[in-house]
Amino acid sequence: MVMRNFILVPIMWVRLCYHASHVDKYTEEEHYKMLAFIVRRANKGGKVTIDVHGQENIPSENGFMFFPNHQGLFDVLAILEACPRPFSVVAKKEVEHIQFLKQVFACMKVYTLDRDDVRQAMKVISDVSKEVMSGRNYVIFAEGTRSKEGNEVQDFKGGSFKAATKAKCPIVPVALIDAFKPFDIEKVDPVTVQVHFLEPLYYEDYKEMKTKEIAALVKERIEKKIKENEPGNEIRIEKSN
């Protein structure tokens, strides 16, 4: 990636750091446009193709939340290239000092969650719900930690959906396939990462449900989409039919 963008990398790094250090100087749209450009060039240089499906399922009005399966540090970058609308993230505290992600998260005004501090976690949920109600969009990884089994999906935690239920906002399941490969596999072969935006759950759809039930439903829909589209599975599904 660096060699293919040899001239551009230092320029974009300086620009990214400047944006991260002057967050209030730019609008959310300006930050997002800059980040999307960097991510697209980085992915192209790293021979990573983002295969996007279901953009029509992204709500037309802002104030929604994405709930993807969690495969690794590349997840946010994959969604960033796939989604034309600005969003922020609720991330675990442990990743807030990783270079590059640190600057990206600053530009996106990311909330970091300390999983060992219940009071801090509750404040983050409250703050995020208020921001969603005011029209910001968010990504939350309901598994809590990344899956170490590739495209296998772990249990989704009901508590992760409290910000959405408080905000009464659309919940958009997102199925990520092979998003672990760009950072976790030590090869230089081309990689295709699939991003599937699934049909959203609106407040009327889930208002009678407990957060654990919402979590189970979102997980079920993501698992089904992965099963249908994971490389190799398409052939087995066609034969079984």
Side-chain angles (χ1 to χ4, degrees), residues 26-121:
Y26 300 93
T27 65
E28 186 173 32
E29 289 72 20
E30 289 171 332
H31 282 305
Y32 196 77
K33 183 178 179 180
M34 181 271 300
L35 292 173
F37 175 77
I38 292 176
V39 170
R40 284 195 301 270
R41 292 303 299 260
N43 287 342
K44 184 177 180 180
K47 295 188 289 186
V48 179
T49 299
I50 306 299
D51 184 18
V52 188
H53 302 266
Q55 281 186 334
E56 68 277 6
N57 289 322
I58 300 174
S60 57
E61 295 184 5
N62 288 326
F64 56 82
M65 298 187 73
F66 290 131
F67 285 87
N69 54 310
H70 193 14
Q71 298 194 340
L73 296 175
F74 187 76
D75 296 349
V76 171
L77 305 183
I79 298 171
L80 202 153
E81 178 169 337
C83 181
R85 308 268 287 285
F87 63 86
S88 189
V89 182
V90 177
K92 60 184 181 180
K93 188 177 179 65
E94 290 85 344
V95 302
E96 67 179 343
H97 298 300
I98 296 177
Q99 288 300 319
F100 183 67
L101 281 183
K102 174 183 176 181
Q103 286 77 19
V104 170
F105 285 175
C107 293
M108 298 176 81
K109 296 185 179 180
V110 167
Y111 278 96
T112 56
L113 189 69
D114 185 346
R115 293 174 292 184
D116 296 324
D117 187 337
V118 176
R119 181 175 295 181
Q120 188 264 358

